[in-house]
Amino acid sequence: DIQMTQSPSSLSASVGDRVTITCRASQSISSYLNWYYQKPGKAPKLLIYAASSLQSGVPSRFSGSGSGTEFTLTISSLQPEDFATYYCQQSYRNVVTFGPGTKVDIK
Amino acid sequence: QVQLVESGGGVVQPGRSLRLSCAASGFTLSSYGMHWVRQAPGKGLEWVAVIFYDESNEYYADSVKGRFTISRDNSKNTLYLQMNSLRAEDTAMYYCAKESLDSSGFYKTLDYWGQGTLVTVSS
């Protein structure tokens, strides 16, 4: 199975900060990479698909990049509602795998 | 609007069985692959299983292979997860999620999720 890693595992940031999260795959997955966010007690929500395409309704301060084995999620100006845990997920194989998550909290 | 509602969770003893259901509405279930994803308390997301839209294939995480079975009844707009030989480490919130393909037809996502049903395996 394809293993996914994320860094950092957690970060503290302030409203207005630029935040970058990295996701790495154990083998090349082309652009078959999605990003989700999850708030406590809630179901995950899709943010970005195909590494860099913004899901409908997601604010433009979110962006994704990368291909192959290394990917990034960037939040250009962190807003109060963005404090959450972020997960990457590969869809290259039918056996899907998620990264371990990156928790973004308030500094 | 798309809605997914899970049910069937509860407290069960190790070694016993449980069947989860996911009632789908607002879309044609038979046109989409469907997944189960779980989340142990305080932990990250763990993918569990997928069933293709036409039931032609199923895939499982190694941690549940041989114990869990995903199935669907498109006539009832319902997805199922039969869980046998349950272990303490299966304790988690179980989410069903709808698969979607982007406009190119290549990239799969989980675009809608239910609110989850909690399974606790404990003696």
Side-chain angles (χ1 to χ4, degrees):
Chain A
D1 294 352
I2 298 173
Q3 308 303 316
M4 307 299 293
T5 59
Q6 287 181 234
S7 60
S9 56
S10 66
L11 66 90
S12 295
S14 301
V15 172
D17 283 353
R18 182 181 181 88
V19 168
T20 298
I21 299 168
T22 299
C23 173
R24 291 184 175 86
S26 60
Q27 66 179 80
S28 177
I29 58 171
S30 184
S31 296
Y32 291 87
L33 191 283
N34 304 319
W35 289 97
Y36 301 83
Y37 81 100
Q38 184 183 34
K39 295 199 169 185
K42 300 293 187 182
K45 290 188 177 180
L46 177 65
L47 280 174
I48 286 172
Y49 64 94
S52 60
S53 296
L54 210 59
Q55 173 70 352
S56 175
V58 173
S60 59
R61 63 181 180 272
F62 291 93
S63 64
S65 64
S67 66
T69 61
E70 188 158 330
F71 304 85
T72 58
L73 171 70
T74 299
I75 309 172
S76 60
S77 177
L78 199 65
Q79 298 301 300
E81 59 268 32
D82 302 336
F83 292 96
T85 300
Y86 293 82
Y87 297 93
C88 61
Q89 173 240 327
Q90 64 80 17
S91 60
Y92 185 75
R93 300 281 189 214
N94 288 311
V95 175
V96 166
T97 43
F98 286 91
T102 295
K103 184 177 181 180
V104 177
D105 60 22
I106 302 172
K107 184 183 286 185
Chain B
Q1 72 280 20
V2 172
Q3 197 167 14
L4 298 167
V5 179
E6 302 93 337
S7 61
V11 180
V12 61
Q13 292 179 328
R16 305 297 291 265
S17 299
L18 205 60
R19 189 177 81 156
L20 306 183
S21 300
C22 170
S25 60
F27 67 102
T28 304
L29 185 66
S30 58
S31 297
Y32 296 91
M34 294 294 295
H35 298 245
W36 286 99
V37 178
R38 68 184 181 182
Q39 186 170 35
K43 302 297 184 182
L45 301 173
E46 181 188 14
W47 177 82
V48 173
V50 60
I51 184 167
F52 282 24
Y53 74 100
D54 58 0
E55 302 181 69
S56 60
N57 276 295
E58 304 158 21
Y59 293 87
Y60 298 91
D62 286 345
S63 57
V64 307
K65 201 177 296 181
R67 299 188 300 122
F68 289 13
T69 302
I70 188 172
S71 63
R72 60 197 296 160
D73 186 336
N74 290 331
S75 67
K76 294 183 177 179
N77 289 324
T78 303
L79 175 74
Y80 302 101
L81 185 68
Q82 178 66 43
M83 304 186 296
N84 299 332
S85 303
L86 282 161
R87 306 166 179 167
E89 54 265 36
D90 295 319
T91 294
M93 182 71 78
Y94 283 75
Y95 296 100
C96 65
K98 170 185 164 290
E99 183 179 276
S100 181
L101 281 173
D102 78 325
S103 56
S104 73
F106 288 112
Y107 296 99
K108 294 181 180 179
T109 66
L110 303 179
D111 63 343
Y112 287 94
W113 298 61
Q115 287 306 301
T117 187
L118 183 62
V119 173
T120 303
V121 184
S122 174
S123 54

